[in-house]
Amino acid sequence: WSSDVCSSDLSLIVRESQMAVFVYRGQVADVFEPGHYKLATANMPIMTTLQHWTHGFNSPFKSEVYYFNTRQYTDLKWGTPNPITLRDREFGVLRVRAFGSYSMRVADPEKVMKELSGTEERYSVKQIENQVRAAIITRFTDHVAQSNLPFLDFAANLNEFSDNVKPVIAEEISKLGLNIETFYVQNVSLPPEVEKLLDKRAGMAALGDIDQYAKFQMAESIPEAARSAGDSGMTGAGLGAGMGMAMGHAMGNMMGGMMPGQAPAHAQPHGVAQAPAQAPAAAAEPKVM
């Protein structure tokens, strides 16, 4: 507010979570913390110097008072509007996104007034959010690139990212009279199409030996195929017979190899028929004359 007043009837009340900046003729005369003030020469030395009043304020003067809310503004969001391109040791070039939250408060109302709000009647957090987000994204990107961590280790280092980036951002924001109270990196992710490729790679790694996996899958399918053969007419019967012959052949080879004195089945050349052994001819019986 602004008004023409005399010091004898001017009081200033500043509530908790507020600070007041007293402006006289466009200059900051004083900054008041929470309390009740009678504006007089004794408690306004700067004002006295500006006006050269040494015996108190006896005539009306033009003044302006700007109140600043010093409470903590919480759950403010930040995020990368476009993916950040990084060089990764394992995947090569990656494009990642990141987002998180932060909180801040007014620490130096005089700086805020000189650097940001000026003499605007109202100045809100929304008017400074874009500038703060730009600073966060720049500092975060620089820190992540210099960390040289592989992407797969990002999730395990979110706390470290938050702790290391916060002081850098706080130092820059303090030039505007603001203070970063908390800062969190909540997630670092890949674009959806890259995530799908990463999921496929992880799936292939989980399979291990592909040949062994294929054999296992075939063995697992045999009982199901046999059940289907028993429930599905002639086609199923033919399938079951084919499987039975194949399994019978394999079992025959195994049994043949187990019989004593008999050469293993695999030792016999394929495609050569062997004549069955013939019993010796019986001796001719004498004819009775």
Side-chain angles (χ1 to χ4, degrees):
W1 51 262
S2 64
S3 61
D4 293 316
V5 294
C6 293
S7 64
S8 58
D9 59 4
L10 181 61
S11 293
L12 179 66
I13 297 175
V14 183
R15 294 182 175 87
E16 288 294 336
S17 75
Q18 287 183 336
M19 293 182 75
V21 176
F22 197 98
V23 177
Y24 175 70
R25 291 185 177 179
Q27 289 184 275
V28 174
D30 223 328
V31 178
F32 295 89
E33 295 185 350
H36 182 194
Y37 301 91
K38 283 285 186 180
L39 299 184
T41 307
N43 57 19
M44 295 189 67
I46 298 177
M47 186 69 179
T48 303
T49 302
L50 288 175
Q51 189 61 32
H52 304 292
W53 283 327
T54 57
H55 302 289
F57 304 144
N58 299 316
S59 59
F61 60 93
K62 187 77 172 180
S63 63
E64 298 173 336
V65 176
Y66 294 87
Y67 285 88
F68 289 83
N69 196 331
T70 58
R71 72 175 179 84
Q72 185 175 172
Y73 291 91
T74 61
D75 202 30
L76 302 174
K77 305 297 184 182
W78 68 271
T80 53
N82 298 304
I84 303 168
T85 303
L86 298 174
R87 189 186 303 276
D88 190 85
R89 289 181 297 183
E90 297 184 23
F91 301 105
V93 176
L94 283 181
R95 300 173 67 214
V96 303
R97 294 182 180 273
F99 66 86
S101 62
Y102 67 99
S103 65
M104 67 178 181
R105 72 168 77 242
V106 172
D108 189 336
E110 186 174 352
K111 275 188 180 180
V112 173
M113 189 169 193
K114 290 180 178 179
E115 301 293 336
L116 297 173
S117 65
T119 55
E120 288 189 32
E121 184 178 349
R122 291 182 179 276
Y123 193 85
S124 67
V125 172
K126 290 188 177 297
Q127 291 172 268
I128 187 61
E129 275 187 294
N130 287 339
Q131 187 169 346
V132 175
R133 275 197 295 264
I136 289 174
I137 293 168
T138 302
R139 303 309 174 201
F140 172 79
T141 303
D142 184 64
H143 177 75
V144 170
Q146 291 185 8
S147 70
N148 202 29
L149 283 173
F151 173 77
L152 295 180
D153 291 340
F154 278 12
N157 286 273
L158 293 184
N159 284 334
E160 286 74 10
F161 285 159
S162 302
D163 293 341
N164 293 332
V165 175
K166 179 187 172 184
V168 182
I169 299 170
E171 182 180 358
E172 184 165 344
I173 299 302
S174 66
K175 298 174 184 177
L176 304 176
L178 304 172
N179 188 50
I180 296 293
E181 298 293 315
T182 61
F183 175 78
Y184 301 108
V185 180
Q186 293 175 286
N187 183 265
V188 181
S189 62
L190 297 170
E193 60 275 12
V194 181
E195 286 185 345
K196 291 179 182 178
L197 294 175
L198 187 61
D199 289 342
K200 288 183 180 180
R201 172 173 172 170
M204 294 296 291
L207 292 179
D209 190 328
I210 300 299
D211 183 60
Q212 292 296 325
Y213 179 74
K215 291 178 180 179
F216 172 75
Q217 288 286 84
M218 184 177 295
E220 286 286 297
S221 67
I222 289 175
E224 183 63 30
R227 285 194 295 271
S228 299
D231 297 336
S232 59
M234 295 301 294
T235 303
L239 177 61
M243 291 182 60
M245 291 175 64
M247 295 178 66
H249 178 71
M251 292 295 293
N253 286 342
M254 292 172 60
M255 294 297 294
M258 294 170 59
M259 295 177 64
Q262 183 175 353
H266 61 76
Q268 299 176 2
H270 292 288
V272 179
Q274 290 185 342
Q278 297 182 358
E285 295 181 0
K287 296 184 179 180
V288 180
M289 300 301 293

